[in-house]
């Protein structure tokens, strides 16, 4: 009797953006990498999710799973030490961050001054970090995963996906370009802002362009808030969050609807798309109960203590998901898209 050898199951990753909250995703990835029972096919990321995706690929290329863990830690450590002044301080309960006075003042100025006025030399510490820690030339030629980095065309509102062979520091910076804080990033003559406006993150390329049939969504935005915002500041924050997540929620609602239709269609009437939908499994790793308690301003809190807290939270949720659902990978969805997104 012939033996059948099967390697570790392969998944695709969809990594949301959320500024400093992306350290939660770092923790999730660290848990998955340390566990070692999954391989990665495609990784789609926006903003902080794009940073995590690129550092994951760089580390895998340079040194496998342990290389990826080291690359991600090196990136977040560098971000924490990149600011010329203290930007955030822990709250009294230690569970959140409040911005230091200098950072609060700078954010207030963004309401009245453009990035060209506030930052005439277009200084961005992320550029130096990315250029020093990622070998983009080698990554474009030998990327170990299929990368999809989302950015938004400023003048058309259309999504631009930068794939592995197109990656540059500018492409990653475009994905994380908040228009009130940084100038638009011009690539091939077109200006780009944060990818969250068009996809946070884009899930369709993982479905259409990757072989793996399991998609793991690592979410930073809470699926549901516990309270309706009342203050002007809270209302503005919620408006921004809704704007950043509208396209993602619409895309996931589409997947939920099409999967439901495919599931109730007789097998002999299913076309290729229906069969692929029926064979695609979705999984979600998120921490809504904690994320909805974090202030919006904590998304710009470049503070290693805060990063480590979110990293530990991400590791906890990543490990818990592995324990509960690793056996589902390749067999069934562990997330109910209808209940979550429809």
């Amino acid at each position: 009797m012939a033996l059948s050898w099967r390697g570790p199951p392969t998944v695709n990753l969809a990594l949301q953006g959320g500024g400093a909250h992306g350290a939660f995703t770092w923790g999730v990835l660290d848990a998955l990498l340390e566990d070692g029972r999954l391989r990665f096919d495609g990784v789609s990321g926006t903003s902080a999710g794009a940073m995590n995706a690129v550092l994951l690929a760089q580390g895998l290329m340079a040194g496998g799973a342990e290389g990826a863990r080291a690359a991600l830690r090196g990136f977040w450590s560098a971000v924490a030490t990149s600011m010329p002044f203290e930007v955030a301080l822990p709250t009294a309960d230690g569970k959140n961050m409040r911005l230091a006075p200098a950072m609060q003042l700078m954010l207030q100025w963004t309401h009245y001054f453009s990035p060209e006025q506030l930052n005439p030399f277009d200084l961005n510490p992320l550029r130096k970090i990315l250029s020093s820690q990622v070998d983009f030339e080698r990554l474009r030629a030998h990327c170990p995963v299929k990368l999809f980095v989302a950015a938004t065309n400023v003048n058309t509102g259309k999504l631009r996906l930068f794939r592995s062979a197109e990656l540059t520091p500018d492409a990653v910076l475009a994905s994380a370009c908040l228009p009130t804080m940084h100038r638009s990033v011009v690539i091939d003559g077109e200006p780009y802002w944060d990818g969250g406006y068009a996809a946070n993150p884009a899930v369709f390329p993982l479905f259409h362009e990757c072989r793996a049939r399991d998609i793991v969504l690592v979410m930073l935005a809470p699926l549901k808030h516990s309270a309706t915002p009342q203050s002007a500041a809270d209302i503005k924050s919620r408006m921004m969050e809704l704007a950043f997540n509208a396209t993602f929620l619409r895309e996931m609602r589409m997947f939920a609807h099409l999967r439901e239709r495919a599931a109730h269609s007789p097998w002999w009437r299913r076309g290729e798309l229906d069969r692929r939908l029926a064979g695609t499994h979705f999984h979600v790793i998120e921490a809504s109960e904690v994320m909805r308690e974090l202030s919006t301003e904590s998304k710009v809190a470049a503070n290693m203590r805060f990063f480590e807290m979110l990293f530990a939270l991400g590791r906890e949720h990543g490990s818990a998901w592995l324990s509960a659902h690793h056996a589902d990978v390749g067999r069934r969805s562990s997330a109910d898209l209808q209940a979550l997104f429809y």
Side-chain angles (χ1 to χ4, degrees), residues 265-271 275:
S265 175
W267 66 266
W268 63 85
R269 295 181 58 185
R270 292 181 184 177
R275 291 194 296 272

Side-chain angles (χ1 to χ4, degrees), residues 10-13 40-44 144-150 159-166 202-215 251 255 272-273 276-277 280 282:
T10 305
V11 301
N12 300 312
L13 299 173
F40 308 122
D41 183 10
V43 186
S44 179
V145 294
K146 300 181 184 72
L147 286 178
F148 306 95
V149 170
L159 169 67
R160 168 73 186 270
L161 280 180
F162 295 94
R163 291 167 172 80
S164 306
E166 305 170 288
V203 180
F204 70 88
L206 301 176
F207 175 78
H208 288 294
E209 300 182 34
C210 298
R211 294 175 61 87
R213 298 269 55 89
D214 286 76
I215 299 174
E251 184 178 11
F255 273 114
E272 180 182 354
L273 178 61
R276 282 179 63 87
L277 283 164
T280 299
F282 286 89

Side-chain angles (χ1 to χ4, degrees), residues 20-21 23-24 27 291 294 306-315:
H21 295 182
F24 172 84
M291 291 300 182
L294 297 179
F306 187 50
F307 290 166
E308 290 284 8
M309 184 274 286
L310 291 171
F311 168 77
L313 182 69
R315 276 188 56 86

